Amino acid sequence: MSKERIILMYHGIVNGQDPVPPGREVGADLYDVTESNFRDQLTMLREKNIKVKRIEEAGTVDVVITFDDGEANNCRTALPILKEFGYPAYFFVITRRVGRPGYMTMDELKTMVANGMVIGSHGMSHEILTNLKDTQIEEELAASRRYLERNLETEIRDFSIPRGFCNDKILRMAYAAGYKNVFISDRPRDLSDEQCHARVAVKQNWDLARFELAIKGEVPVKEAFMERTKNLTKLVLREGGYNWLRQVFIKIMK
Ligand SMILES: [Zn+2]
């Protein structure tokens, strides 16, 4: 299999000082990457001479960095490190949470843009789109884009699917709402759709060896098996049932 462009998905970059939002979704901390691990990961990219680019400029050997949810630590902790390395990144914001405790303020989003970062939409409410009526999906897509464009005075071209539940209809609606790129959590079903981008979620428990596999586009056999099981469970239980089961499991595992 040929090497594909790798798109990394981060959430919080944590250092024990900058806030994480109170009352986050169950399991959100699984995606908290420590500041020192984040720095080590970017150092590995630089040492391997892997370029970090925006999606439009990224070739098959490059990496794209994205962040979901718009946590305050993205501006306070991740931005200074990204600037140090000269790497651009995408930050997908839940518009109703802008300025809430633990999330970036509009001024912080402006700071990100001024520093060459890309702001995209992650919906208004973080609701799972496949559970919503068409008019609500339309609202999540279009109103969040309008809000960001009005406040940031820049074109918003990029959307990241809240919690990864997506289908062909939602992709079509996102493009109709003006988005040029839609970022999802797993592999797109239609590989010919060049506007839909699969990502790899960077997890809290990854060591540098696991990160190295990710940037090579590899998945350990055990994780690949777990992923297939998860996708099958999603298919059988549909979103509501899967989410319920996931929350139960996360609570048991704690
Ligand atoms: Zn999210």
Side-chain angles (χ1 to χ4, degrees), residues 181-199:
N181 299 299
V182 175
F183 293 79
I184 60 176
S185 306
D186 39 25
R187 296 178 69 78
R189 269 197 304 214
D190 178 3
L191 293 171
S192 66
D193 181 352
E194 290 180 1
Q195 290 175 266
C196 179
H197 308 286
R199 295 182 293 175

Side-chain angles (χ1 to χ4, degrees), residues 11 25 68-69 94 122 126 160-163:
H11 288 76
E25 282 82 4
D68 274 9
D69 296 357
I94 305 160
H122 194 37
H126 213 225
S160 147
I161 298 287
R163 303 196 241 175

